Amino acid sequence: MGLNEFAVTSRCWQRPRTGFIAAHYGLRPQPFYLGVVFVAFGLVLSCSQCARQDHVAAESKLHGELPVKDMPTQREVFWRTTLLDRNLSSVSQAGLVNNLNDGMAWGLFPLFFSAARMDFAQIGTLAAIYPATWGVAQLSRARGLIA
């Protein structure tokens, strides 16, 4: 809990801005420039993280190295997470359903709002409510579990 909720909650701040840009400048290409800036920022942030090798080494020492002969193949991992291990299978299915919900909210809500003749700024604001609610609920739940 933490980074994912930050990412989800940050989308609620980005959507009204994208709607505002689309309302004032049109659908292409100006709203996509904001996405390009986010991708570039994320790439720079990912590449600048120098301590990740140290972190991997510390985790390996903590859990121990797995001998190469005991490492599962990609096929074994796939079958284990899909069918053979009930816990991993249920987690995979829950992730699929969660991603489906997000895809429906991100893809269909704006189309539904557009069919209701809302302008781009209104669509952006309404589309921001879903990730804002989800992120705040997850953060508040995480705080309750920790405290």
Side-chain angles (χ1 to χ4, degrees):
M1 300 290 229
L3 285 178
N4 187 35
E5 285 68 32
F6 175 74
V8 170
T9 308
S10 68
R11 283 192 298 249
C12 77
W13 298 107
Q14 171 265 334
R15 286 185 179 185
R17 284 161 183 72
T18 304
F20 176 79
I21 291 170
H24 287 335
Y25 299 107
L27 285 177
R28 293 195 180 131
Q30 285 79 4
F32 295 100
Y33 293 155
L34 193 57
V36 170
V37 169
F38 289 149
V39 168
F41 179 71
L43 182 63
V44 168
L45 194 61
S46 297
C47 292
S48 67
Q49 196 175 20
C50 300
R52 65 178 162 228
Q53 288 180 343
D54 296 334
H55 179 70
V56 170
E59 287 286 322
S60 295
K61 286 180 185 177
L62 183 65
H63 297 292
E65 298 270 344
L66 187 64
V68 177
K69 64 180 175 96
D70 292 338
M71 290 185 93
T73 64
Q74 291 290 334
R75 183 180 303 254
E76 291 169 341
V77 170
F78 171 78
W79 285 113
R80 183 172 175 204
T81 56
T82 338
L83 295 172
L84 301 177
D85 188 329
R86 293 175 69 126
N87 291 331
L88 291 175
S89 180
S90 65
V91 168
S92 295
Q93 185 179 13
L96 173 72
V97 170
N98 187 36
N99 288 338
L100 180 64
N101 289 342
D102 289 346
M104 298 273 291
W106 298 336
L108 293 181
F109 284 170
L111 293 176
F112 178 74
F113 297 147
S114 178
R117 303 224 184 260
M118 294 181 176
D119 64 14
F120 294 131
Q122 291 172 323
I123 292 171
T125 301
L126 287 173
I129 292 172
Y130 173 75
T133 304
W134 193 87
V136 168
Q138 290 295 315
L139 282 173
S140 63
R141 183 168 186 259
R143 284 195 185 129
L145 291 174
I146 293 170

